Amino acid sequence: MLKFLNVIEQTKIAINKTTNLDVLEFLKVKCLGRNGHFTQKIKTLRNLPPELRSKKYKIINKAKKEIEELIFQKRNVLQLMSIDKEIVDSVLDISLPGRKPSIAGLHPITHTMNRVILFFKNIGFSVVYGPEIENSYYNFDALNIPDNHPARNEQDTFWIDTTYLLRTQTSGMQIRVMQEINDPPIMVISPGRVYRKDYDKYHTPMFHQIEGLVVDKNISFSNLKYIMSNFLYDFFTSIKNSIKIRFRPSYFPFTAPSAEIDILLKNYDWLEILGCGMVHPHVLNNVNIDPKIFSGFAFGIGIERLAMLYYDITDLRLFFENDLRFLKQFK
Ligand code: DAH
């Protein structure tokens, strides 16, 4: 018994001394565990006469309680110490330089849109926005685009059902605007997203257009030419000192005569940049505006085209990959 009590005393000293939770755990197992000192000692009492056994048992039990209490106290102390240490170690160093919030910039397409919108606003156009999910009546029928026109093809158009589609052009807004403001003068632009099944260096399935429409008495092609030329000179002369533009005869079902405007910039060949023309009498009739009294012109500007030329970018897809290394250059 003396030897046992001696071992227990040694253990108490070790518990008091340790500053390490793992060591404490180890001592606990060695003492109180299934094969620990106490279990071993109690086993040896089995063959003793009952009275002696109960006397020794009491002594052992008392020592066990003391050890348990000691371990409990010590564990609390060590746990608190470890929390304190963690707090001290992770203390905030207010002398370190802070992290700068990185300030976002406008997307180059947004920036280009804004510049175009601003030009037209400044000369008196109002701005209207329309739905991207469009009725085929506005996207095609009312624009004099016949049923068998290739643009309606499943291969080009994202149809939602037999009536609705993702608009392939902002031109449908001409109809919505003329239905709403049935009484010219009308001078509006309508910016927005359009969708086509197309994907290569020069095409993405979603892109941006700005539609323009002017309707009044005595509107002629020279009005169209004047405004479009001024717009392009204004848009490009801030970066390039000389540009050339040309009007090339073209065809759109909703304008007659129709033209495309090509632009010649340094280091490029002639590039088509927008479509335009005099509003077709059928289109005016479709919205109950009398083509004998009123005439108008319309235009559709491809924003990505402008942005590519303006920023000198050769692959359109870069605009939509959201690579920050690319986008950060336009801040
Ligand atoms: N909607 C045509 C397109 O997406 C562009 C266009 C051409 C718009 C002539 C017009 C226009 O308003 O008059 O290709």
Side-chain angles (χ1 to χ4, degrees), residues 115-163:
R115 287 189 58 215
V116 178
I117 293 171
L118 189 66
F119 174 87
F120 285 102
K121 265 185 158 175
N122 282 343
I123 59 169
F125 281 72
S126 17
V127 186
V128 293
Y129 294 88
E132 287 171 28
I133 294 177
E134 183 59 289
N135 190 311
S136 58
Y137 173 76
Y138 292 104
N139 198 84
F140 295 130
D141 305 85
L143 286 168
N144 201 31
I145 301 177
D147 260 345
N148 59 0
H149 195 279
R152 295 197 184 218
N153 200 313
E154 295 242 357
Q155 276 159 4
D156 301 318
T157 304
F158 292 105
W159 285 93
I160 288 167
D161 54 30
T162 49
T163 311

Side-chain angles (χ1 to χ4, degrees), residues 11 15 23-33 36 67 71 75:
T11 308
I15 291 172
V23 172
L24 184 68
E25 204 53 33
F26 171 78
L27 292 172
K28 182 189 158 196
V29 172
K30 230 176 132 196
C31 229
L32 303 167
I67 286 276
I71 289 174
R75 187 185 289 124

Side-chain angles (χ1 to χ4, degrees), residues 42 44-60:
I42 286 166
T44 64
L45 302 185
R46 242 182 248 151
N47 302 325
L48 293 179
E51 230 168 81
L52 189 55
R53 185 169 36 173
S54 116
K55 209 173 133 202
K56 292 203 167 189
Y57 191 76
K58 271 184 192 147
I59 296 171
I60 292 168

Side-chain angles (χ1 to χ4, degrees), residues 143 168-172 174 194 196 207 209-213 224 251-252 254-255 257-260 272 274-279 297-301:
L143 286 168
T168 60
Q169 50 183 357
T170 43
S171 300
Q174 293 183 30
V194 298
R196 283 179 209 173
F207 57 104
Q209 289 186 335
I210 292 190
E211 191 74 18
L213 176 71
L224 165 64
Y251 171 76
F252 299 101
F254 38 92
T255 43
S258 305
E260 278 171 299
E272 178 217 321
L274 63 90
C276 58
M278 301 306 293
V279 180
F297 68 79
F299 55 89
I301 303 171

Side-chain angles (χ1 to χ4, degrees), residues 88-107:
V88 169
D89 286 354
S90 66
V91 86
L92 185 66
D93 181 353
I94 54 165
S95 69
L96 284 173
R99 279 193 205 121
K100 280 198 195 134
S102 79
I103 295 176
L106 288 180
H107 192 280

